């Protein structure tokens, strides 16, 4: 086959000639930068370089972080926590209306603030218990859940319009929930409409093997109207009942950890992240690592825009004080001091940069190999 000099190959890979010589040496090929190597050897050394490049480097700060998290995990007793609910359903079946109705009527707005902010999640307090709702597109909650192996959602409320019945996205939601092993509660919506047909909805769901309790199955189905609010309290009861069955628990004290639900750069306030606390208590003044960002919690806000001093398991809260904007789906974890928070964040950033470079180098290697 064709031959290429070591220095030409190095140039094409944007590497130093010496690095290619070293890689060749490791493969048992003695060559100087001016010598030529054959096609097969070149492919092998490119693979060797690529392989070496993608091997993750050791990270001391991550190890220390893990030790801290594990330490914290061994302290504290598990206690009941509120359920985290995602609302899914076919287009126009009433997801937003239902969330809005619950928010409007159930989220207490403070005297001072007055305006309910959109923070991607909110929690409601009922006489029987607290429920948190994720106000994100349902599939997004699942995508980040799946890719991280972490569960954000405990229960899916699947909204099905009683005048329209089961539609393609209804079936998709059923499949998502089933794959993620998250229980479903069916909200049969638009019951105020004259052509509402809840029986049809139940029968069509039966065809998807989602069986209503009155059909001898296990799936709670609540008839309601997001417009009038009729039946909404029954839905909240059903959620709390399901939550009891699931025996949802978390350690309610100690250092907090959880997941970013939403984030943005606010003109006045800087980076703002809405996080869901999944264990421990997040407090003002805490140091935390959040994806590749870090910082000290300058302020916490709830969904009504009021400052709060802390947030426990299943409670969503807005965090101010991060070094930059994290990504939705990033984990956050509270650490003992600023030094570790900064070290972990910087190492992660360096790694991210490195993997971007490796990707670029990989693309170049492919180009080189294609030319040979
Ligand atoms: P997408 O976000 O587009 O998928 O829709 P959605 O599921 O969020 O539905 P949305 O809440 O926007 O409602 C769609 C339409 O149905 C709107 O015109 C609502 O006013 C109406 N609607 C929602 N719930 C009810 C209900 O209980 N009764 C009646 N009569 N109309 C409703
Ligand atoms: Mg909507």
């Amino acid at each position: 086959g064709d031959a290429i000099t070591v220095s030409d190959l190095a140039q094409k890979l944007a590497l130093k000639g010496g690095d290619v010589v070293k890689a060749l040496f490791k493969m048992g090929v003695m060559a100087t930068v001016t010598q030529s190597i054959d096609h097969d050897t070149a492919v092998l050394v490119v693979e060797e370089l690529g392989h070496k490049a993608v091997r993750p480097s050791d990270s001391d700060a991550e190890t220390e972080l893990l030790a801290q998290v594990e330490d914290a995990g061994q302290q504290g007793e598990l206690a009941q926590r509120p359920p985290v609910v995602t609302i899914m359903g076919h287009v126009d079946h009433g997801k937003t209306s239902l969330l809005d109705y619950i928010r409007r009527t159930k989220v207490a707005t403070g005297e001072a603030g007055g305006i309910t902010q959109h923070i991607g999640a909110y929690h409601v307090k009922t006489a029987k218990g607290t429920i948190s709702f994720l106000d994100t597109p349902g599939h997004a909650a699942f995508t980040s859940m799946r890719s991280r192996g972490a569960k954000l959602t405990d229960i899916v409320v699947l909204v099905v319009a009683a005048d329209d019945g089961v539609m393609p996205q209804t079936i998709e939601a059923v499949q998502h929930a089933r794959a993620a092993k998250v229980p479903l509660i069916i909200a049969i919506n638009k019951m105020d409409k004259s052509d509402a047909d809840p029986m049809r909805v139940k029968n069509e769901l039966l065809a998807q093997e989602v069986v209503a309790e009155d059909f001898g199955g296990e799936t709670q189905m609540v008839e309601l109207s997001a417009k009038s609010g009729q039946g909404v309290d029954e839905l909240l009861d059903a959620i709390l009942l399901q939550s009891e069955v699931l025996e949802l628990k978390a350690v309610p004290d100690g250092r907090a950890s959880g997941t970013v639900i939403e984030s943005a750069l606010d003109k006045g306030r800087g980076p703002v992240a809405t996080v869901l606390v999944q264990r421990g208590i997040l407090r003002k003044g805490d140091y935390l690592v959040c994806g590749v960002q870090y910082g000290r919690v300058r302020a916490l806000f709830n969904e009504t825009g009021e400052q709060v001093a802390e947030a426990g398991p299943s409670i969503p809260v807005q965090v101010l004080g991060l070094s930059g904007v994290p990504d939705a789906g990033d984990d956050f974890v509270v650490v003992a001091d600023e030094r570790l928070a900064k070290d972990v964040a910087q190492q992660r950033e360096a790694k991210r940069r490195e993997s971007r470079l490796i990707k670029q180098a990989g693309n170049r290697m492919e180009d080189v190999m294609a030319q040979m």
Side-chain angles (χ1 to χ4, degrees):
D2 300 338
I4 183 171
T5 67
V6 172
S7 78
D8 281 351
L9 181 63
Q11 206 177 357
K12 285 187 169 168
L13 298 173
L15 291 171
K16 284 186 204 143
D19 289 337
V20 179
V21 170
K22 264 188 233 161
L24 282 165
F25 181 76
K26 274 192 204 153
M27 291 164 49
V29 178
M30 304 294 176
T32 63
V33 284
T34 54
Q35 277 180 323
S36 293
I37 50 174
D38 64 20
H39 172 271
D40 290 348
T41 307
V43 169
L44 284 174
V45 77
V46 163
E47 277 175 5
E48 165 71 18
L49 285 159
H51 179 68
K52 189 179 138 242
V54 295
R55 205 156 30 203
S57 54
D58 289 327
S59 156
D60 299 338
E62 292 282 358
T63 311
E64 195 180 335
L65 177 68
L66 197 64
Q68 273 199 14
V69 170
E70 277 171 357
D71 269 0
Q74 276 150 19
Q75 298 157 8
E77 277 181 34
L78 290 170
Q80 203 184 326
R81 65 168 176 83
V84 179
V85 176
T86 299
I87 298 193
M88 299 180 82
H90 194 74
V91 181
D92 277 354
H93 279 200
K95 301 176 289 292
T96 303
S97 302
L98 180 59
L99 272 165
D100 283 351
Y101 184 87
I102 295 169
R103 180 172 12 217
R104 224 174 36 245
T105 55
K106 301 290 174 188
V107 176
T109 307
E111 302 286 322
I115 306 156
T116 302
Q117 297 184 325
H118 174 84
I119 72 162
Y122 60 86
H123 71 294
V124 300
K125 285 178 184 157
T126 76
K128 290 168 196 159
T130 300
I131 304 169
S132 288
F133 289 93
L134 293 185
D135 193 359
T136 57
H139 63 269
F142 276 100
T143 314
S144 82
M145 188 202 301
R146 280 235 190 111
S147 63
R148 307 190 153 252
K151 248 173 89 166
L152 218 52
T153 303
D154 301 308
I155 296 167
V156 167
V157 167
L158 178 53
V159 178
V160 188
D163 61 341
D164 203 25
V166 168
M167 299 300 277
Q169 279 171 273
T170 317
I171 295 171
E172 224 172 83
V174 168
Q175 287 164 350
H176 271 304
R178 194 169 280 153
K181 296 194 170 65
V182 175
L184 282 171
I185 294 175
I186 309 298
I188 303 180
N189 190 32
K190 308 200 186 185
M191 285 300 293
D192 60 286
K193 289 189 124 180
S194 57
D195 53 349
D197 187 354
M199 257 317 162
R200 173 183 156 204
V201 172
K202 288 183 186 179
N203 277 312
E204 288 172 349
L205 283 169
L206 186 63
Q208 301 300 320
E209 291 170 60
V210 178
V211 189
E213 286 175 315
D214 48 340
F215 283 19
E218 289 185 342
T219 307
Q220 297 189 82
M221 301 200 185
V222 181
E223 298 173 17
L224 54 83
S225 165
K227 195 177 178 187
S228 72
Q230 168 219 330
V232 171
D233 280 338
E234 283 81 349
L235 176 68
L236 300 180
D237 285 348
I239 291 168
L240 288 167
L241 189 67
Q242 181 69 62
S243 153
E244 264 174 45
V245 172
L246 292 171
E247 295 187 55
L248 302 169
K249 293 207 160 86
V251 177
D253 42 42
R255 282 190 212 131
S257 58
T259 305
V260 177
I261 296 164
E262 253 185 21
S263 60
L265 187 61
D266 188 281
K267 262 188 207 155
R269 302 187 298 166
V272 175
T274 302
V275 304
L276 181 75
V277 177
Q278 291 177 291
R279 62 150 289 140
I281 304 261
L282 181 62
R283 291 193 172 88
K284 201 173 153 176
D286 280 347
Y287 292 106
L288 76 166
V289 183
C290 189
V292 299
Q293 312 298 344
Y294 71 98
R296 186 177 196 188
V297 179
R298 198 167 76 227
L300 296 171
F301 292 95
N302 68 12
E303 54 273 81
T304 66
E306 296 164 322
Q307 275 219 40
V308 292
E310 56 179 48
S314 300
I315 303 301
V317 70
Q318 253 185 358
V319 178
L320 266 59
L322 288 171
S323 54
V325 182
D327 292 331
D330 277 348
D331 295 330
F332 83 85
V333 54
V334 170
V335 296
D337 56 71
E338 183 167 28
R339 180 205 47 89
L340 182 60
K342 195 173 175 178
D343 284 356
V344 172
Q346 286 180 345
Q347 274 189 9
R348 286 181 181 175
E349 180 58 44
K351 248 191 210 170
R352 189 181 278 193
R353 210 166 33 231
E354 190 185 322
S355 66
R356 247 198 318 268
L357 289 175
I358 288 166
K359 220 172 178 185
Q360 286 166 7
N363 291 341
R364 273 198 302 273
M365 287 180 193
E366 272 171 29
D367 290 348
V368 170
M369 283 160 77
Q371 287 165 22
M372 290 175 83

